[in-house]
Amino acid sequence: MVQQLTPETTPKPEIIYPDSDGNPMAENTEHYEWIVKIKENLEILFASENDVFIAGDLLWYPVEGSVKTRQAPDVMVIFSRPKGRRGSYKQWEENNIIPQVVFEILSPGNRTQEMAKKLLFYQRHGVEEYYIYNPDTIELVGFIREQEWFEEIEEINNWVSPRLGIRFELKSDTLEIYYPDERKFLTSLELNQRAEQEYQRAEQEHQNYQDLLAKLQAKGIDINTL
C-alpha cells in the first residue's frame, strides 16, 4: 500500500499597507493652511452626520493586495462611512465605498506629470468630484464624473458642489468657499476669533440683563409679577 503524503500548505504572508508614503503633508505654510481650512470646515459642515468621513493626507488603497496602488489626497470626503480613526483608508474594508470628493492644493513641488497621474488615478478609481486649487496663481480647476470619465467644469466661479453643497468664489487675491447657508469658510484663527466675539457678546448681554434687574429691584419692582 502506497501512502500519499499531503503537502503542507504554506500560509500566505500578511500584506502590510503602510500608513505613510514618506512624503510631507505640505511643502509650505500656505499649502498646509489650505488643507486644514478645507478639511476642518468640512468637518464642521458634516459634524452632525455620523456617516460622513473626512480625512486630510490619508493614504487611500482602492485595491486589496496592491500596496503600490495608492494615493493620499490633501482632503477627501467619503459618504456612508462612519467617522473615526484610521491609519489608512482600505476600500475593501469600507464596504468598497469610494471617496466621492477629493481636493488637491498645488504647491511649488507639484509637477505636471505628477498631477496628471493623480487625475488619472482618481478618474480610474471612481471619484465623483475632483478640485485642484493653486493658491499662488488663484486658479481653481474642477472635474465632475460623467459615466466613466471626468469632465472639466467650465464655469467654476460660483460653482456649487453637487455632493457637498458648498460654493466656490474666485476673488482677485484668493479663493473663498461658502457653506450652503452662505457662511464663509474660515481659518482656525478666524473661527477662534469669532467664537471669542460671540462669547463676549453673550457676556455683555448677561451683564446688561443683571444691571436692568438690579435697577428694577431698586425701584421695588418684582419681575416675577410682570
Side-chain angles (χ1 to χ4, degrees), residues 167-184:
R167 182 172 65 85
F168 303 95
E169 184 175 342
L170 287 164
K171 300 289 189 179
S172 60
D173 58 347
T174 191
L175 167 68
E176 292 184 349
I177 307 175
Y178 294 87
Y179 288 81
D181 64 2
E182 286 299 307
R183 287 178 300 133
K184 188 168 69 173

Side-chain angles (χ1 to χ4, degrees), residues 148-172:
E148 298 300 316
W149 309 98
F150 275 152
E151 292 288 341
E152 185 173 352
I153 300 166
E154 294 183 2
E155 295 294 335
I156 195 67
N157 195 26
N158 287 314
W159 169 263
V160 177
S161 161
R163 270 287 189 175
L164 306 176
I166 61 176
R167 182 172 65 85
F168 303 95
E169 184 175 342
L170 287 164
K171 300 289 189 179
S172 60

